[in-house]
Amino acid sequence: MIKLAGIILVSGAISLASCHKASLIKNNIRIRKELYEFVLHIKGCIETSSTELSEIYRTYTSETLQKTGFLQILSEADGNSFEYALKNSSLFLPGALFSIYLNLAGILGKSRSGKTEAENLSRYLAEIEKEEEKLIKSDESKIVLYRKLGILAG
């Protein structure tokens, strides 16, 4: 009887651990999507009006990015706040995507022309999309793998 209870507990723990890992991956996908939408919002604000970046940072709302601390850091910091927020929040971006966002942060707000700024953002958004497509395929297969392994191991 005790052995059976132990087996059930271990099986349940393994299944729950793998489901938890799958949900963490899903959460990272959601965070990356929200960050991409934030950059799209910045681009839209630059194209349609001459709003300063600090004002764009303060007015944007996203529950997911707020939970990571990204928006709070962004709204409080000044100067290179986008780069500072990337490095000091809990976004957990993969290496290649992180470097793209860091490069974007390096040029963001440096151009005096809104048109040039929008063109730079478009170029970086295209790079982010390419990298994100690769990551989504990989992450989706990992989610399926973790779920199936959790069920089989459990």
Side-chain angles (χ1 to χ4, degrees):
M1 185 68 174
I2 294 175
K3 287 182 182 181
L4 182 61
I7 291 171
I8 291 172
L9 284 174
V10 169
S11 298
I14 291 171
S15 295
L16 286 175
S18 62
C19 285
H20 176 68
K21 181 65 176 173
S23 70
L24 288 176
I25 294 171
K26 276 183 150 182
N27 189 44
N28 284 339
I29 292 171
R30 189 177 317 113
I31 288 170
R32 294 193 319 252
K33 181 182 176 197
E34 292 281 338
L35 188 58
Y36 180 80
E37 289 174 3
F38 176 61
V39 175
L40 276 176
H41 175 74
I42 292 172
K43 181 180 179 256
C45 288
I46 289 173
E47 287 177 337
T48 58
S49 65
S50 59
T51 309
E52 289 188 24
L53 281 175
S54 59
E55 185 63 29
I56 295 171
Y57 295 162
R58 274 196 289 289
T59 58
Y60 188 77
T61 57
S62 163
E63 186 177 329
T64 305
L65 291 179
Q66 192 69 38
K67 286 179 183 176
T68 64
F70 180 78
L71 290 179
Q72 182 179 7
I73 294 170
L74 200 59
S75 64
E76 292 173 356
D78 57 343
N80 294 328
S81 56
F82 193 83
E83 181 177 352
Y84 183 75
L86 280 172
K87 291 180 178 178
N88 294 300
S89 63
S90 59
L91 288 177
F92 303 116
L93 296 173
L97 194 60
F98 185 70
S99 65
I100 293 170
Y101 277 111
L102 276 182
N103 291 337
L104 171 63
I107 60 114
L108 196 60
K110 305 289 192 262
S111 175
R112 297 190 186 275
S113 166
K115 182 179 178 183
T116 306
E117 193 82 25
E119 288 171 358
N120 287 337
L121 282 166
S122 294
R123 185 168 47 91
Y124 279 102
L125 284 169
E127 287 182 39
I128 292 167
E129 281 180 33
K130 287 179 193 174
E131 189 62 33
E132 191 63 40
E133 284 177 16
K134 295 177 202 172
L135 291 170
I136 290 284
K137 287 179 185 176
S138 170
D139 286 348
E140 286 178 349
S141 64
K142 286 179 185 177
I143 290 170
V144 170
L145 178 69
Y146 280 118
R147 286 186 177 160
K148 288 182 179 179
L149 282 176
I151 290 170
L152 289 174

